[in-house]
Amino acid sequence: MALEAPSLSAPSVISRLAPGLVTLASLAGLLALWWITATFADSRVLPTPPQVAAAFWRDAVSGEMEFHLAMTLMRVAAAFVIAMVIGSAIGIALGMNREANRFFDPWLILFLNLPALVVIVLAYIWFGLNEAAAIGAIAVNKIPNVVVTMREGARALDRDLDEMARVYRFSTVKTLRHVVLPQLQPYFAAASRSGISLIWKIALVVELLGRSNGVGFQINLYFQLFDVASILAYTLAFVAVMLIIEFALVQPFEAYSTRWRPKRA
Amino acid sequence: MALEAPSLSAPSVISRLAPGLVTLASLAGLLALWWITATFADSRVLPTPPQVAAAFWRDAVSGEMEFHLAMTLMRVAAAFVIAMVIGSAIGIALGMNREANRFFDPWLILFLNLPALVVIVLAYIWFGLNEAAAIGAIAVNKIPNVVVTMREGARALDRDLDEMARVYRFSTVKTLRHVVLPQLQPYFAAASRSGISLIWKIALVVELLGRSNGVGFQINLYFQLFDVASILAYTLAFVAVMLIIEFALVQPFEAYSTRWRPKRA
Amino acid sequence: GEAATLRIGVLKFGTVNWELDAMQRAGLDKQAGLDLSVVPFAGETASAVALQGGGVDMIVSDWLWVSRQRAEGADYTFVPYSTSVGSLMVPETSAVNTLGDLKGKTIGVAGGPLDKNWLLIQALAKKDFGIDLAAANTIVYGAPPLLTEKAREGELDAVLNFWHYAARLEAQGFRTLISGSDAAMKMGASGPVASIGWVFRDRFAKDHPDVIADFLKADAATKQLLATSDAAWETLKPLMKAKNEKTFEILRERYRDGIPQRSPADEQKDTAKLYTILANIGGAKLVGPAPALVKGTYYDGKANGS
Amino acid sequence: MPPAGGQNALEVEIRDKVFRGADGVDVRAIADIAFAVEPASFATLIGPSGCGKTTTLRIILGLDSEFSGQLRLPENEPRRIAAVFQEPRLLPWRTVEDNVRLALADDATDRDLSDLFAALGLSEMRGRFPGELSLGLARRAALARAFAIRPSLLVLDEPFVSLDEQTAGRLRNLLTEVWSARPTTALMVTHNLREAVQLSDKIIFLTERPARIRGIHEISTPRAERDTRWRETTLSTVAKRYSGVL
Amino acid sequence: MPPAGGQNALEVEIRDKVFRGADGVDVRAIADIAFAVEPASFATLIGPSGCGKTTTLRIILGLDSEFSGQLRLPENEPRRIAAVFQEPRLLPWRTVEDNVRLALADDATDRDLSDLFAALGLSEMRGRFPGELSLGLARRAALARAFAIRPSLLVLDEPFVSLDEQTAGRLRNLLTEVWSARPTTALMVTHNLREAVQLSDKIIFLTERPARIRGIHEISTPRAERDTRWRETTLSTVAKRYSGVL
Ligand SMILES: Nc1ncnc2c1ncn2[C@@H]1O[C@H](COP(=O)(O)OP(=O)(O)OP(=O)(O)O)[C@@H](O)[C@H]1O
Ligand SMILES: Nc1ncnc2c1ncn2[C@@H]1O[C@H](COP(=O)(O)OP(=O)(O)OP(=O)(O)O)[C@@H](O)[C@H]1O
Ligand SMILES: [Mg+2]
Ligand SMILES: [Mg+2]
């Protein structure tokens, strides 16, 4: 499988002009697929887009949706920042230091495989039913995953560039910023994207187990009523926020920070 | 931060002779930490090692532990294989094909952020309360994460080597096997390690919602009784299996497949 | 003076929340001199975590759990709240009429293998019909809403579910094969036993004996109101999320059926009996280290408070 | 020995090649280049650093199709192209021997390569990974890969740099051997005029970027008759016409 | 102009250097090398491909400490070492200019580099990324980085390969300028004897792997007097003593 052959200029110009159009087509395709499936399935479990829209509208007008979404986003954002910072630091350190890695590897495997439930319950019981415990529990669940990904990245670091930095007496900060982090960018991107989603999934559990608001709280309520339309309405509201963040913030930033990569096609 | 300076031969010989010793020390340290914390906390929520050992022993002797562990491992293994194969294939394809990626990116974000609950419930409703639905639901939860990680890897592929493969007319299979996959090894390692842990966490939810055996089933049973010692006993049994797999299978394999990397230290 | 605050953790869409909502609407809490703070949760176990973590002062749970926690050193105590627990439901058209007809069927069980009702029903089936339900059928444990849905779809032949799920099924053409309290009575209880109740710490009761007393008074008044006034129910409608009038009515009737009528002392006697039966079936796994109902499980103002 | 080198010449005609820089500025690499390499002949490209030589080779190899102009490759079966890139481009996770064998056609993977490795001074390195080689050894491994597949079109981008004179001389002789044993159309980039006159039938001189043809020097003297005297004369003739290349 | 080049010579003494190959076989790269480079002088290492030259430089640069022997670096403050590696080793995600500036000491990051870039023919490339450069341009960027920091010890591993003769000649002159403007201890590896005699005060010839000293040739003629005639004579003298190096 050769990487895609460079295409001639015409088509790529079109696609460069209209990336928004492609995204729109993609979303339309998804909607169509869903609509058709739901119509054929004709099940209470897979409501059609209008049913979900109605549920969305109902909770959006009452302001409930916005409130719960805001609470969840706040938790997700806080836990994300904490988990990425701590996880990256530990991951890079372990990836660069064989001895430390050998010692802490079993710990990592343990924390990686602790069920979310255990961490969350312990956090609530020790630190009380408060926001800090909730966010901390989410972060603790995510940190080992970040560590594992960043550690692989640190292990695959280019030795040649590191030697260059040593010879030219780069300071630690300079090496980190200009030599190490750019190499870790793809790992960081992977850890963040799958990270956000994991964090949000854990946030749902955290909210189920001890918060009185948030999307997770609402989704679990609606699950008891088997109101799938409302569950999907909340889910899609969150997905929509993620899509906006992805297309308005993450992708432009990524395009900028990887502009040095030789283009394919 | 220069990568660790090459150390002289003496210490590295020691550590090469006794990696098992380091692991042992590590586990002992972990145990000590736990014991001390539990003793000081003196809480029903964090039982001491002997209490957990007792709970372990009780269920191990009755054969229950082995049965539930086997069921969960079966599900985890099946879902892992499915998720890694499908996820890697999609991820590599998207990473290599800009247009396809642009189109499917929103879909990916959607599936990434679908709550496990939604997927699991839909699977159980559509495909019945059976093993296939359970494993499928776990895999579907994990696939988007694998896709995201492998896609970053495929995006960072070395263009020079790809060109070499094209000039020398490597077949698709040859390119994949000898050029692409070795470059994706760190991404694959990251996706598998954090993957196993995510899969196991989702397996717990799947078993909670609609299976009648497995570690997740047991953990939830004990959670209803607030029997943390038993919960930890099951958790640690699973972690122990993971540790054994890691040290007996994964690490030797990784050491072999990355032996070409210039050594540090 | 200043009203004392009582924080109660409840399931947002649960029946307890209806009752507390009615109490607050009718101002019964204020009348009793209480400042009630209802903390809603989304999950069954969340309120238990909240009580453990000190996030709330009172929750609703069952005596079995309380006894077990006491045996392990916790100081929880219990006041009966409702006799409605759960029922084994079958479709109206089902050929199953007694437990004896359940053989080779697929049975859904909410609450897991250690669920009290499930153990009692199994014991009863063995006693009356000589069959081992768990061995003679395919048992599917699962989440209550999922099992409800599966029963509706016909994938399950029978489902043992918590009472409001059972009530909703009843509105959709299911009938009760046997309820948990029927099974308990057939196993020797002298009347319907309230197996769920208000749970709080001895410590809290000791520090705030008046708060508990006031609350129980307000609760009795609320139950009285809901038992007699249909109008009071109308205001609860949005909370109950009933799909239709029929569901609403069944939920209301089943709630009223569940209001405990007997004195706590009678209840306690039956509970001790049931506890022994359960300890025999479920073993240490179910009841923990204590072979008999642990003393102090039932709240007794003086004993617990001092 | 089967005839190779194809029926027709390699014909290259690049009218324009522009890169779009990451800073948004367009870089015109090639203005106008057209030349042909006769079947089974050896041509060399010489031009200043950064003038567009590698770009030309990439276009010929089919690695870049965003250019105006046209291209005709020698047609012959099996069409095997070998390239020695400006850097070794070995797979770091495969041994030297595996790197070479992977390039072989599927029906030739068992070919005995001992002589080739010996000639390149790589016998001892067959089982090593590229990361363990010196740059010169790695370049030789890349040459081994190109020679091993017995190509019908051989493209070489400065193949003999980073080698000491003795080794380079030996490898040039080896190249001549390989090339004449089984006539192959070859196109080489070099900065070394001596090397060019020793090996080529035709030397194509390029201008500064954007590259144009500065002139083409044909050599008809058979390789066997190219002795030291001949070479010095030729070198000075060429150096006089194309100042700055020696 | 502050004196540079340090008080003492660079003294290198490597008694043994063995690599452990991934196949488990030990590779002895260096058997016995000892030489000194006087303060502010220019020395060149010449030896067959794969003999251990790069390994020697890596040891001097402190990148490899698993060897037996000892090392004494010129002591002077600020101790700035510049290295031109055998490959460019630029940060692909930083522009050419940033690559150079990053190497500058913190108090010198604003230094005007226009002249340097102009001399290296890189003016137009300052804002481009390394991936957009030809190999020759990338090597020049690496040279720019080494020259920019005004080092007290300059280590060069085949700095002028992959460059056309004209550019290489210009850069050699530039190197001489940089080096004599601010005397620096320099050690260069090359395969090009002409280059060596033009630039060095001392040429150290190494044997095949495992490397030993084959001989040391001192040059005392001042650089200004090294004309074409002198060079040809010297070349043939050296080539006679050390066969195979020309
Ligand atoms: N991907 C690219 N993007 C932008 N500019 C490029 C790209 N590739 C090459 N160039 C520019 O095109 C010109 C020609 O490059 P090319 O690599 O063909 O030079 P060359 O003749 O091989 O030089 P050298 O002898 O140094 O290898 C150079 O100025 C280079 O900077
Ligand atoms: N990391 C390593 N592991 C094993 N062997 C190595 C390693 N690095 C170098 N070698 C071997 O040591 C020898 C000397 O290598 P070195 O790079 O010093 O050669 P060199 O003189 O610089 O050659 P060149 O002129 O080709 O660059 C070579 O045979 C090489 O294969
Ligand atoms: Mg080039
Ligand atoms: Mg070298």
Side-chain angles (χ1 to χ4, degrees):
Chain A
M1 174 166 51
L3 306 187
E4 45 166 347
S7 59
L8 294 176
S9 8
S12 68
V13 164
I14 290 179
S15 68
R16 223 173 288 149
L17 279 176
L21 226 73
V22 177
T23 306
L24 230 66
S26 163
L27 290 173
L30 197 58
L31 191 74
L33 197 73
W34 168 19
W35 209 320
I36 293 168
T37 319
T39 309
F40 274 90
D42 190 25
S43 143
R44 229 155 55 82
V45 186
L46 187 65
T48 59
Q51 290 170 309
V52 173
F56 175 88
W57 192 241
R58 184 195 64 219
D59 279 21
V61 171
S62 74
E64 244 187 296
M65 169 84 71
E66 294 82 343
F67 168 67
H68 291 293
L69 199 56
M71 293 309 292
T72 298
L73 284 174
M74 179 276 291
R75 288 178 195 126
V76 167
F80 177 76
V81 171
I82 296 172
M84 289 307 291
V85 169
I86 298 182
S88 300
I90 300 178
I92 296 173
L94 291 187
M96 284 181 173
N97 189 329
R98 241 166 204 278
E99 314 293 309
N101 183 46
R102 190 169 285 146
F103 186 81
F104 286 109
D105 199 33
W107 297 38
L108 186 60
I109 295 174
L110 173 75
F111 279 101
L112 208 48
N113 291 302
L114 270 191
L117 184 74
V118 172
V119 176
I120 295 168
V121 169
L122 288 182
Y124 276 147
I125 291 191
W126 286 350
F127 304 109
L129 273 184
N130 52 47
E131 219 48 78
I135 292 173
I138 304 175
V140 168
N141 267 295
K142 171 64 189 162
I143 286 172
N145 288 63
V146 181
V147 170
V148 159
T149 305
M150 299 307 282
R151 184 178 64 174
E152 288 304 328
R155 275 185 190 154
L157 283 175
D158 189 288
R159 201 183 57 157
D160 288 357
L161 293 180
D162 174 60
E163 290 182 354
M164 184 279 291
R166 276 164 64 192
V167 166
Y168 282 100
R169 303 247 185 293
F170 279 26
S171 66
T172 303
V173 174
K174 211 187 239 182
T175 307
L176 201 60
R177 169 138 177 249
H178 298 284
V179 183
V180 174
L181 290 186
Q183 292 184 65
L184 295 180
Q185 180 276 328
Y187 295 88
F188 195 81
S192 338
R193 285 231 175 67
S194 76
I196 275 277
S197 86
L198 180 59
I199 282 181
W200 135 258
K201 287 175 187 181
I202 298 167
L204 299 186
V205 182
V206 165
E207 290 172 351
L208 161 69
L209 283 178
R211 300 278 73 202
S212 303
N213 49 47
V215 178
F217 178 78
Q218 289 294 97
I219 285 186
N220 279 289
L221 287 187
Y222 286 118
F223 175 54
Q224 285 165 31
L225 303 171
F226 226 86
D227 181 350
V228 184
S230 298
I231 293 180
L232 285 182
Y234 275 89
T235 301
L236 294 185
F238 181 83
V239 170
V241 174
M242 286 300 113
L243 279 173
I244 292 169
I245 293 179
E246 172 83 12
F247 287 105
L249 293 176
V250 180
Q251 292 203 353
F253 173 75
E254 263 188 18
Y256 178 79
S257 69
T258 60
R259 71 197 183 289
W260 58 272
R261 278 199 198 154
K263 306 269 174 310
R264 300 214 157 84
Chain B
M1 173 167 48
L3 307 187
E4 47 168 342
S7 59
L8 294 175
S9 9
S12 68
V13 164
I14 289 179
S15 67
R16 223 173 289 149
L17 279 176
L21 226 73
V22 177
T23 307
L24 230 65
S26 163
L27 290 173
L30 197 58
L31 191 73
L33 197 73
W34 167 21
W35 208 320
I36 293 169
T37 318
T39 310
F40 274 90
D42 188 24
S43 145
R44 277 188 325 119
V45 186
L46 187 64
T48 58
Q51 290 171 310
V52 173
F56 176 88
W57 192 241
R58 184 195 65 218
D59 279 20
V61 172
S62 74
E64 245 187 294
M65 168 87 70
E66 292 82 343
F67 168 67
H68 292 292
L69 200 56
M71 292 309 291
T72 298
L73 285 174
M74 180 274 292
R75 286 178 196 128
V76 167
F80 177 76
V81 171
I82 296 173
M84 290 306 292
V85 169
I86 298 182
S88 299
I90 300 179
I92 295 174
L94 290 187
M96 284 180 172
N97 188 330
R98 239 168 205 278
E99 314 292 310
N101 182 46
R102 191 169 284 146
F103 186 82
F104 286 109
D105 198 33
W107 298 38
L108 185 60
I109 294 174
L110 172 75
F111 280 100
L112 207 48
N113 291 302
L114 272 191
L117 182 74
V118 172
V119 176
I120 295 168
V121 170
L122 288 182
Y124 276 146
I125 294 284
W126 287 348
F127 304 108
L129 282 170
N130 53 47
E131 218 49 76
I135 292 172
I138 303 175
V140 168
N141 266 296
K142 171 64 189 161
I143 287 173
N145 287 64
V146 181
V147 170
V148 159
T149 304
M150 298 308 281
R151 183 179 65 172
E152 289 304 327
R155 275 185 189 155
L157 282 176
D158 190 288
R159 203 184 55 158
D160 289 356
L161 292 181
D162 173 60
E163 290 182 354
M164 184 279 291
R166 276 164 63 193
V167 166
Y168 281 100
R169 303 248 185 290
F170 278 26
S171 65
T172 304
V173 175
K174 211 188 237 184
T175 307
L176 201 59
R177 169 140 176 248
H178 298 285
V179 183
V180 173
L181 291 185
Q183 292 185 64
L184 296 180
Q185 180 274 329
Y187 296 88
F188 195 80
S192 340
R193 285 229 176 68
S194 75
I196 275 278
S197 86
L198 180 60
I199 282 181
W200 135 258
K201 287 175 186 180
I202 298 168
L204 298 187
V205 182
V206 165
E207 290 171 353
L208 159 71
L209 287 176
R211 295 279 74 202
S212 304
N213 48 47
V215 177
F217 178 78
Q218 287 295 94
I219 285 186
N220 279 288
L221 201 59
Y222 286 119
F223 183 48
Q224 284 170 23
L225 304 170
F226 242 94
D227 182 349
V228 184
S230 299
I231 293 180
L232 286 182
Y234 274 89
T235 299
L236 294 185
F238 182 83
V239 170
V241 174
M242 287 299 113
L243 279 173
I244 291 168
I245 292 179
E246 171 84 13
F247 287 104
L249 291 176
V250 180
Q251 292 203 353
F253 173 75
E254 264 188 18
Y256 178 79
S257 70
T258 60
R259 71 197 182 288
W260 57 272
R261 277 199 197 154
K263 306 267 175 312
R264 299 215 158 85
Chain C
E2 180 93 337
T5 310
L6 178 64
R7 297 167 303 163
I8 306 188
V10 300
L11 215 55
K12 174 88 182 279
F13 287 168
T15 57
V16 186
N17 200 19
W18 311 346
E19 197 172 301
L20 293 181
D21 192 65
M23 182 188 291
Q24 286 177 316
R25 278 176 196 280
L28 295 170
D29 54 334
K30 293 278 177 299
Q31 274 174 34
L34 273 177
D35 178 9
L36 197 61
S37 156
V38 178
V39 185
F41 290 110
E44 306 276 347
T45 39
S47 54
V49 175
L51 183 66
Q52 296 260 352
V56 296
D57 305 317
M58 185 185 276
I59 62 169
V60 167
S61 188
D62 68 22
W63 46 253
L64 195 58
W65 187 77
V66 171
S67 170
R68 181 178 171 132
Q69 299 301 312
R70 277 191 91 85
E72 285 169 358
D75 65 338
Y76 300 145
T77 186
F78 173 96
V79 174
Y81 160 75
S82 168
T83 63
S84 294
V85 274
S87 303
L88 186 57
M89 309 293 292
V90 292
E92 200 76 70
T93 54
S94 169
V96 175
N97 287 312
T98 66
L99 286 178
D101 299 336
L102 281 175
K103 213 178 244 173
K105 304 281 187 216
T106 304
I107 307 176
V109 177
L114 294 184
D115 180 69
K116 223 167 20 303
N117 297 315
W118 174 232
L119 291 171
L120 285 173
I121 288 173
Q122 283 183 87
L124 185 62
K126 194 166 280 162
K127 189 177 96 177
D128 288 359
F129 302 97
I131 63 167
D132 180 350
L133 284 184
N137 300 283
T138 308
I139 309 299
V140 180
Y141 300 107
L146 191 61
L147 293 180
T148 307
E149 190 64 21
K150 281 288 167 190
R152 264 172 26 89
E153 285 186 349
E155 192 176 322
L156 302 175
D157 300 311
V159 61
L160 174 61
N161 218 330
F162 300 119
W163 79 264
H164 54 284
Y165 290 102
R168 283 174 213 270
L169 274 175
E170 195 178 335
Q172 292 173 29
F174 278 69
R175 62 183 155 82
T176 307
L177 185 63
I178 187 168
S179 76
S181 41
D182 287 346
M185 287 192 284
K186 286 192 179 149
M187 289 301 291
S190 54
V193 177
S195 57
I196 58 173
W198 306 107
V199 176
F200 43 91
R201 287 177 191 274
D202 284 347
R203 265 278 300 288
F204 182 81
K206 188 178 156 207
D207 295 347
H208 312 278
D210 302 343
V211 173
I212 299 291
D214 293 345
F215 172 74
L216 293 178
K217 203 159 68 202
D219 183 44
T222 311
K223 285 201 164 82
Q224 181 60 32
L225 174 72
L226 288 175
T228 51
S229 156
D230 283 358
W233 282 92
E234 286 303 317
T235 54
L236 292 181
K237 250 186 175 166
L239 263 188
M240 294 168 65
K241 306 266 177 195
K243 274 230 153 46
N244 48 39
E245 199 58 24
K246 188 171 172 206
T247 311
F248 170 69
E249 280 163 14
I250 293 178
L251 282 170
R252 189 180 62 199
E253 290 323 304
R254 291 293 162 269
Y255 171 85
R256 286 174 173 169
D257 292 349
I259 297 175
Q261 307 292 350
R262 304 193 294 158
S263 76
D266 290 347
E267 295 255 356
Q268 194 169 350
K269 227 176 288 157
D270 279 334
T271 302
K273 207 180 289 171
L274 288 177
Y275 187 95
T276 317
I277 297 171
L278 288 171
N280 284 337
I281 327 172
K285 197 153 206 185
L286 174 65
V287 297
L293 189 68
V294 177
K295 193 166 157 295
T297 298
Y298 273 79
Y299 176 66
D300 163 356
K302 275 178 258 67
N304 293 84
S306 59
Chain D
M1 192 150 311
Q7 319 287 51
N8 62 302
L10 164 68
E11 289 168 33
V12 180
E13 187 188 324
I14 304 171
R15 295 283 160 227
D16 192 32
K17 168 66 199 173
V18 176
F19 287 107
R20 157 140 295 214
D23 54 0
V25 180
D26 280 351
V27 188
R28 158 164 281 160
I30 299 176
D32 190 1
I33 287 183
F35 63 85
V37 183
E38 298 310 315
S41 80
F42 196 115
T44 300
L45 277 178
I46 292 189
S49 165
C51 78
K53 303 177 296 298
T54 300
T55 306
T56 307
L57 297 192
R58 283 173 50 83
I59 288 175
I60 293 171
L61 290 170
L63 297 175
D64 193 338
S65 55
E66 291 189 351
F67 68 99
S68 26
Q70 55 196 27
L71 198 66
R72 190 160 167 220
L73 293 184
E75 275 153 20
N76 55 324
E77 286 303 324
R79 187 200 271 183
R80 278 201 291 264
I81 303 181
V84 175
F85 297 93
Q86 215 164 353
E87 331 77 45
R89 296 205 188 176
L90 302 172
L91 299 172
W93 38 82
R94 293 285 176 269
T95 60
V96 169
E97 174 149 7
D98 285 346
N99 263 286
V100 174
R101 290 210 181 274
L102 278 171
L104 296 176
D106 289 337
D107 54 1
T109 41
D110 300 333
R111 190 174 291 171
D112 179 19
L113 298 173
S114 311
D115 292 347
L116 182 63
F117 281 125
L120 286 157
L122 286 171
S123 304
E124 213 186 324
M125 302 294 161
R126 291 170 78 148
R128 301 258 162 79
F129 291 105
E132 303 176 275
L133 303 184
S134 76
L135 184 58
L137 289 166
R139 302 193 69 96
R140 285 186 252 167
L143 278 167
R145 178 171 61 190
F147 293 163
I149 67 166
R150 302 187 184 153
S152 54
L153 173 62
L154 180 60
V155 173
L156 305 153
D157 202 346
E158 303 194 46
F160 304 119
V161 300
S162 288
L163 296 173
D164 58 294
E165 261 318 302
Q166 209 165 16
T167 310
R170 222 173 52 233
L171 295 193
R172 276 180 214 119
N173 292 336
L174 180 67
L175 171 58
T176 318
E177 261 169 50
V178 166
W179 175 81
S180 41
R182 195 168 167 290
T184 306
T185 308
L187 181 60
M188 175 173 85
V189 166
T190 186
H191 288 302
N192 186 333
L193 189 60
R194 274 162 221 280
E195 186 172 286
V197 300
Q198 181 190 341
L199 296 170
S200 326
D201 299 308
K202 180 188 271 186
I203 306 179
I204 301 148
F205 293 95
L206 300 180
T207 63
E208 288 276 342
R209 182 170 65 81
R212 296 171 194 280
I213 303 274
R214 192 175 166 197
I216 295 183
H217 181 86
E218 308 264 358
I219 302 178
S220 49
T221 318
R223 280 178 188 72
E225 296 166 22
R226 301 184 187 175
D227 54 16
T228 320
R229 260 215 31 238
W230 174 87
R231 192 165 69 216
E232 291 310 315
T233 335
T234 315
L235 279 175
S236 65
T237 322
V238 172
K240 214 167 284 161
R241 263 199 70 191
Y242 305 99
S243 65
V245 295
L246 193 65
Chain E
M1 192 150 311
Q7 320 288 50
N8 63 301
L10 164 68
E11 288 167 33
V12 180
E13 186 188 325
I14 305 171
R15 294 283 159 229
D16 191 31
K17 167 67 199 171
V18 176
F19 287 106
R20 155 141 297 213
D23 55 359
V25 180
D26 280 351
V27 188
R28 156 164 281 161
I30 299 176
D32 190 0
I33 287 183
F35 62 86
V37 184
E38 297 310 315
S41 80
F42 197 115
T44 301
L45 277 177
I46 292 188
S49 166
C51 78
K53 303 178 295 297
T54 300
T55 306
T56 307
L57 297 192
R58 283 173 51 80
I59 288 174
I60 293 172
L61 290 171
L63 297 175
D64 193 337
S65 55
E66 290 188 352
F67 67 100
S68 29
Q70 55 196 27
L71 199 65
R72 187 157 171 223
L73 293 184
E75 274 154 21
N76 55 326
E77 286 304 324
R79 186 199 273 182
R80 278 201 291 265
I81 303 181
V84 176
F85 297 93
Q86 215 165 352
E87 332 77 44
R89 297 206 188 175
L90 302 171
L91 300 171
W93 38 82
R94 293 284 176 269
T95 60
V96 169
E97 174 149 5
D98 286 347
N99 263 287
V100 174
R101 290 208 183 274
L102 278 172
L104 295 176
D106 288 337
D107 54 2
T109 41
D110 301 333
R111 190 174 289 172
D112 179 19
L113 298 172
S114 311
D115 292 346
L116 182 63
F117 282 125
L120 287 157
L122 286 172
S123 304
E124 214 186 323
M125 301 294 162
R126 293 171 76 150
R128 303 257 162 78
F129 291 104
E132 304 176 274
L133 303 183
S134 76
L135 184 58
L137 288 167
R139 302 192 69 95
R140 286 185 252 167
L143 279 167
R145 179 172 61 191
F147 293 164
I149 67 165
R150 301 184 185 156
S152 53
L153 174 61
L154 181 59
V155 173
L156 304 153
D157 202 347
E158 301 195 46
F160 305 119
V161 298
S162 287
L163 297 172
D164 57 294
E165 261 317 304
Q166 210 166 13
T167 309
R170 224 174 49 233
L171 295 193
R172 276 181 214 119
N173 293 336
L174 180 67
L175 170 58
T176 319
E177 262 168 49
V178 166
W179 174 82
S180 41
R182 196 169 165 289
T184 307
T185 308
L187 181 60
M188 176 173 85
V189 166
T190 186
H191 288 302
N192 185 333
L193 190 59
R194 276 163 220 280
E195 187 171 286
V197 299
Q198 183 192 338
L199 295 171
S200 327
D201 299 309
K202 180 188 272 183
I203 306 178
I204 301 147
F205 292 96
L206 300 180
T207 62
E208 289 275 344
R209 181 170 66 81
R212 297 171 193 278
I213 304 275
R214 191 173 166 200
I216 296 184
H217 180 86
E218 309 264 358
I219 303 178
S220 49
T221 317
R223 280 176 188 74
E225 295 166 23
R226 301 184 187 174
D227 54 16
T228 319
R229 263 219 21 244
W230 174 86
R231 193 165 68 217
E232 290 310 315
T233 336
T234 315
L235 278 176
S236 63
T237 323
V238 173
K240 215 165 286 162
R241 264 201 68 191
Y242 305 100
S243 63
V245 295
L246 192 65

